[in-house]
Amino acid sequence: MEKRGKYTTVSIPVTLYNRIKRVIEGTGFTSVSSFVTYVLREVVASYEEERSAEPFTEEEREKIIEKLRKLGYL
Amino acid sequence: MVSKPHGGTLIRRVSPRDKRETLIEETNEMVSIDVPFDIATDIENIAYGVFSPLEGFVVQEDYTSILYNMRLSNDIPWTFPITLDVSPEEIKGVKEGDTIAIKHNGTFIATLQVEEIYRWDKKRFARHVYRTEDPNHPGVYKTYRKKELLVGGKILLINELPNPFYKYTLRPAETRILFREKGWKTIVGFQTRNAPHIGHEYVQKSALTFIDGLFINPLVGWKKKNDYRDDVIIAAYETLIKYYYPRNAVVFSITRTPMRYAGPREAIHHAIMRKNYGCTHFIVGRDHAGVGNYYGPYEAQEIFSEFPDLGITPLFVKEFFYCRRCGGVANEKVCPHSEEYRVKISGTKIRQMILSGQTPPETMMRPEVARVILSYDNPFIEEV
Ligand SMILES: [Zn+2]
């Protein structure tokens, strides 16, 4: 598929680069960059997950529970 | 734990009750456009967070990023562009920064803050999103009939659409609270546009053996000719759950949104919606959201490997069949017997039997479910 994303460069030690190159041999990863992108997305997402809040107040929560009871879900 | 909303925040773009009157009055001075049902349901889904983190129709930067990278411009996974198409005449005189009124069938439903008006290339959209430019593909066909401009910007829902399935329509804020109240730590979402046969039941139950709760969530809205009617799907599931499911292990509720038949990309979109409802897992079938022979049978499963940051775990459950040698329902993972013993549970075959007034065999469909479906004059969609 055509890719038209913008890319930038990040430095990693050559030793790590070579290590990754060996690890991805024979896998679906076609380059060190695609492997690094994959791993970083996985890690970054787990950091982001820690800071997210629910959008409803305690009062709204009680209202919803009442509705769920009325409709037979609870 | 109930899953975190996609992108981190559950979106809510619904006008507070006390502001509604003023907003409705203000719309008298706005340019207004009337949108078809599909778009109207998109607005509701944005407003209630089903499409979190979207707060409106995508602007060009996101549109392009979704097409080429399957991500929003902030790198969050997003595979199907949620767009509002308009003709130049409809938005004559509208400038970026204006607020316009959105109606459906003449009734005012929402406002839209116009952030951007841009042209789009329908063929390019089809090539990327549907992986084909063939107008015989139902999604591509619909794309080619859309208008020539797209409008991006945040929406605010003022009036909900009339909903004959109100009782069965839970919003993400509601399911998230419901799952917690039930004490479920893991929840598996099941997508469907069909009345349930034995194969579906076993797929769901095989997941339910190791997951706390099952969320059955049919899509109600535009589908192909010959698909099951919405009221039939609901009645069939009510019956199945009543007779064959542990009461406290399942929640059934619908989502009003069109099937887009975008195969792999739609599988990701379906998973994201269920994540917003609070699911931690999502069942991805063979040829999920596919149509005809446009997608390989496992493409919709393979695409998940491109999204390590999706935040919901896909479950790839093998199809079930009836095995005469095993003496029960089985699948490739658990049955060693050859084809001669296996009876395929075929949706197409069941459909043909129902159309000719026959009851499908119990190895394919629960008799109570079959009875309910057969009680309808025509349980299938005739026109689209
Ligand atoms: Zn067997």
Side-chain angles (χ1 to χ4, degrees):
Chain A
M1 201 202 295
E2 302 166 52
K3 289 265 175 186
R4 235 212 275 171
K6 293 185 185 132
Y7 288 84
T8 187
T9 318
V10 175
S11 305
I12 57 169
V14 174
T15 47
L16 175 61
Y17 180 90
N18 290 334
R19 191 170 162 195
I20 295 171
K21 218 172 153 185
R22 281 195 300 275
V23 165
I24 64 172
E25 248 171 60
T27 69
F29 291 104
T30 51
S31 66
V32 170
S33 293
S34 65
F35 178 83
V36 169
T37 301
Y38 181 92
V39 171
L40 287 182
R41 277 183 170 143
E42 194 169 27
V43 174
V44 166
S46 70
Y47 274 90
E48 284 170 339
E49 292 215 335
E50 285 169 20
R51 48 152 185 83
S52 59
E54 296 295 1
F56 32 79
T57 62
E58 186 52 33
E59 195 191 325
E60 284 169 319
R61 199 183 83 93
E62 274 163 25
K63 256 197 196 145
I64 287 175
I65 289 181
E66 197 184 304
K67 177 185 169 184
L68 292 169
R69 285 223 171 87
K70 231 182 254 169
L71 293 176
Y73 287 96
L74 272 172
Chain B
M1 274 297 284
V2 171
S3 192
K4 293 284 188 291
H6 195 55
T9 312
L10 190 65
I11 298 302
R12 190 174 161 81
R13 301 284 305 167
V14 183
S15 117
R17 247 169 240 276
D18 51 333
K19 296 224 176 98
R20 203 174 285 164
E21 292 303 317
T22 333
L23 277 164
I24 293 174
E25 229 162 79
E26 282 173 13
T27 57
N28 292 329
E29 271 136 59
M30 294 176 188
V31 169
S32 80
I33 58 169
D34 206 287
V35 298
F37 184 72
D38 285 0
I39 301 265
T41 60
D42 282 346
I43 290 172
E44 251 187 39
N45 286 325
I46 294 166
Y48 282 105
V50 180
F51 293 165
S52 296
L54 298 194
E55 294 184 90
F57 293 101
V58 294
V59 294
Q60 192 164 15
E61 192 186 15
D62 286 319
Y63 173 85
T64 311
S65 181
I66 296 166
L67 242 53
Y68 291 101
N69 310 315
M70 299 197 285
R71 289 170 181 275
L72 297 171
S73 56
N74 64 3
D75 203 57
I76 300 291
W78 196 273
T79 48
F80 194 93
I82 302 297
T83 56
L84 172 62
D85 59 305
V86 295
S87 65
E89 300 77 53
E90 276 179 305
I91 50 155
K92 206 170 167 210
V94 174
K95 301 179 306 294
E96 289 166 4
D98 289 354
T99 301
I100 60 172
I102 299 185
K103 294 178 175 176
H104 172 62
N105 284 342
T107 304
F108 173 53
I109 55 169
T111 57
L112 170 74
Q113 291 166 257
V114 178
E115 203 171 311
E116 200 178 11
I117 302 167
Y118 56 101
R119 298 201 161 269
W120 62 310
D121 180 338
K122 295 177 190 178
K123 275 202 169 163
R124 183 177 295 153
F125 181 102
R127 189 164 67 241
H128 286 274
V129 174
Y130 294 108
R131 299 185 178 183
T132 173
E133 293 179 14
D134 180 359
N136 293 315
H137 181 296
V140 175
Y141 175 80
K142 276 180 88 177
T143 301
Y144 289 169
R145 286 168 31 137
K146 289 200 174 230
K147 297 163 191 165
E148 61 212 90
L149 296 175
L150 298 180
V151 181
K154 290 183 187 176
I155 58 97
L156 186 67
L157 181 72
I158 316 284
N159 286 314
E160 282 185 27
L161 298 167
N163 184 357
F165 308 115
Y166 168 78
K167 188 185 153 197
Y168 302 99
T169 310
L170 295 183
R171 311 296 186 184
E174 295 166 343
T175 51
R176 303 175 78 79
I177 288 174
L178 178 59
F179 297 159
R180 273 201 205 105
E181 285 296 306
K182 285 184 173 290
W184 295 350
K185 297 227 161 26
T186 49
I187 303 106
V188 60
F190 183 81
Q191 145 71 34
T192 185
R193 52 180 149 120
N194 274 305
H197 59 48
I198 296 284
H200 301 125
E201 183 183 331
Y202 272 78
V203 165
Q204 294 166 14
K205 286 183 172 174
S206 61
L208 197 49
T209 52
F210 61 94
I211 287 180
D212 298 337
L214 169 67
F215 178 52
I216 301 174
N217 187 224
L219 296 193
V220 160
W222 181 80
K223 297 191 198 82
K224 298 192 287 27
K225 199 180 158 192
N226 293 331
D227 275 354
Y228 282 98
R229 271 168 39 186
D230 297 328
D231 48 346
V232 174
I233 297 173
I234 293 173
Y237 262 108
E238 273 211 308
T239 308
L240 182 70
I241 292 166
K242 183 175 165 198
Y243 292 108
Y244 295 98
Y245 282 70
R247 185 78 193 86
N248 244 335
V250 54
V251 166
F252 176 85
S253 121
I254 63 160
T255 297
R256 293 205 293 179
T257 195
M259 270 303 297
R260 304 175 201 263
Y261 301 99
R265 275 188 185 242
E266 192 168 12
I268 298 291
H269 182 65
H270 284 171
I272 291 171
M273 287 195 281
R274 278 39 179 250
K275 178 185 173 190
N276 284 326
Y277 280 110
C279 295
T280 53
H281 295 73
F282 180 65
I283 295 170
V284 185
R286 192 179 170 280
D287 198 22
H288 188 108
V291 59
N293 293 317
Y294 292 99
Y295 312 106
Y298 296 104
E299 261 187 84
Q301 300 184 347
E302 285 154 11
I303 193 173
F304 280 82
S305 67
E306 294 181 46
F307 298 94
D309 50 345
L310 197 59
I312 179 166
T313 308
L315 297 179
F316 307 134
V317 185
K318 293 269 181 222
E319 265 188 311
F320 282 86
F321 45 77
Y322 185 83
C323 173
R324 288 195 302 259
R325 187 83 172 79
C326 289
V329 180
N331 68 15
E332 259 173 42
K333 289 284 296 272
V334 294
C335 157
H337 305 118
S338 63
E339 286 296 328
E340 60 176 310
Y341 294 105
R342 296 177 178 179
V343 185
K344 196 174 149 51
I345 303 169
S346 149
T348 315
K349 200 166 169 199
I350 293 173
R351 189 180 311 249
Q352 281 163 359
M353 295 188 76
I354 288 170
L355 275 172
S356 62
Q358 288 172 276
T359 305
E362 288 192 30
T363 48
M364 291 195 187
M365 185 174 261
R366 298 290 189 187
E368 295 87 346
V369 173
R371 216 171 295 139
V372 166
I373 297 173
L374 283 161
S375 72
Y376 287 82
D377 278 343
N378 185 0
F380 304 108
I381 295 168
E382 289 166 46
E383 291 300 320
V384 279

